[in-house]
Amino acid sequence: MSPKVLLQHLLPHRLLSRLAYGVARSRAGWFKDWLIALVVRRFNVDMAEAADPEPRNYEHFNAFFTRELRPGARVADPDPRCLLMPADGKISQAGRIEAGRIFQAKGQSFTAAELLGSEAMAAPYADGWFANIYLSPRDYHRVHMPWSGTLVETLHVPGRLFTVAPWGVQAIPRLFARNERLVCHFETEFGPMCSVMVGALLVSGVESVWNGEEIPPYAHSPIRRDWRGQGITLARFAEMARFNYGSTVILLFPRDAVALDAFATETPTRVGQRLGRVL
């Protein structure tokens, strides 16, 4: 085990993430302006795409980080049968779920049941499709719907907060099935669809459009919420949730319902571009 991987195991993940939560919401003018300017420079953030392109106008760092884009900055693929990319970032991996397992990196994989926290909920995705998109600090941090769907159930799964940076994905076994996450199950015209918002080190929160802040608080045991009959239907391309710092979203689709396009690892992604096609 390399020193930086060992450090990932030893760090107090939740304590550091709680501290990051407070720092990201500091309204001290000099501090938040310095922090925002630092990130804009360090990660070459394109503020021309933001609804408010002036960094000093954001009340705190988190408001900047979860910034809205200007109208027209992202558009949905015009083909109405296309699945849409849910997030700006890069493809970590995408392809078939084989024998119930999702490929993480060379020599690393995990089961769909481990990721979703339920054998029963994973069953519809046997031999189906998955797409794993990594959001870096420079990216737009709102996650959108790849297809129209009605929310059925969510599961907040407790866990660690390992880094989801590419080196961590390659080195830490079953990383995405071990990290804290919010599993969101939808029913669509082609059957079930699942979107998993995976937490990571210094990720200070996950928010959904239907329930506000979901993480934190950090869970000590699984928290399941039944949304059946609540009429929460989100349209294709609509915002679904947001990260309060960079992380990863994983999509699952059933076999024979859709076909994903072929993507190489590290392929850049933008909300609304073609991910695949509904059959």
Side-chain angles (χ1 to χ4, degrees):
M1 184 181 293
S2 71
K4 65 180 181 179
V5 173
L6 176 61
L7 184 61
Q8 283 289 311
H9 287 271
L10 296 178
L11 285 172
H13 292 179
R14 290 186 173 184
L15 174 60
L16 291 174
S17 294
R18 287 190 183 98
L19 291 173
Y21 183 96
V23 167
R25 287 159 178 78
S26 171
R27 288 175 167 80
W30 67 270
F31 177 73
K32 62 94 175 175
D33 289 345
W34 170 80
L35 188 56
I36 291 170
L38 178 66
V39 170
V40 169
R41 289 195 308 271
R42 171 68 176 81
F43 295 101
N44 193 28
V45 177
D46 185 1
M47 293 303 295
E49 293 187 327
D52 186 347
E54 175 48 59
R56 291 178 178 269
N57 289 345
Y58 293 93
E59 62 179 336
H60 47 56
F61 181 78
N62 190 64
F64 152 76
F65 215 85
T66 58
R67 62 195 174 277
E68 182 181 5
L69 298 184
R70 60 173 172 77
R74 299 290 181 274
V75 295
D77 188 290
D79 183 344
R81 300 302 293 173
C82 278
L83 287 169
L84 301 180
M85 198 67 70
D88 285 14
K90 290 184 178 180
I91 293 288
S92 177
Q93 297 292 340
R96 283 284 191 177
I97 300 169
E98 298 182 354
R101 301 195 71 84
I102 296 171
F103 183 70
Q104 178 174 305
K106 185 177 181 180
Q108 309 285 1
S109 67
F110 52 91
T111 69
E114 288 175 321
L115 178 69
L116 303 187
S118 166
E119 292 279 358
M121 286 305 215
Y125 305 107
D127 301 315
W129 299 87
F130 80 96
N132 183 329
I133 297 107
Y134 166 67
L135 292 75
S136 76
R138 77 178 303 273
D139 293 315
Y140 168 63
H141 275 77
R142 301 189 184 196
V143 176
H144 291 240
M145 293 288 286
W147 195 259
S148 299
T150 298
L151 185 65
V152 173
E153 184 177 290
T154 60
L155 180 66
H156 177 179
V157 184
R160 299 299 302 275
L161 291 169
F162 293 114
T163 179
V164 293
W167 68 264
V169 173
Q170 294 172 16
I172 300 173
R174 298 174 44 255
L175 187 153
F176 299 111
R178 296 167 71 180
N179 273 17
E180 193 118 358
R181 57 203 179 274
L182 181 70
V183 181
C184 307
H185 295 280
F186 294 91
E187 189 62 36
T188 77
E189 66 174 81
F190 57 74
M193 176 181 76
C194 190
S195 180
V196 184
M197 302 282 286
V198 183
L201 186 65
L202 301 184
V203 172
S204 51
V206 172
E207 297 179 33
S208 68
V209 299
W210 56 84
N211 198 42
E213 195 166 59
E214 305 269 5
I215 306 171
Y218 299 110
H220 297 287
S221 59
I223 301 171
R224 189 179 304 276
R225 291 189 172 94
D226 189 338
W227 296 97
R228 294 170 180 83
Q230 300 296 309
I232 302 172
T233 298
L234 303 178
R236 173 181 180 266
F237 192 56
E239 181 185 345
M240 184 204 86
R242 65 187 67 172
F243 288 112
N244 292 336
Y245 205 65
S247 194
T248 291
V249 58
I250 303 175
L251 301 175
L252 301 184
F253 302 99
R255 186 183 70 175
D256 300 330
V258 308
L260 299 194
D261 294 346
F263 293 97
T265 300
E266 298 289 298
T267 298
T269 68
R270 284 167 69 89
V271 170
Q273 77 181 72
R274 176 178 167 131
L275 172 62
R277 186 172 175 82
V278 175
L279 301 178

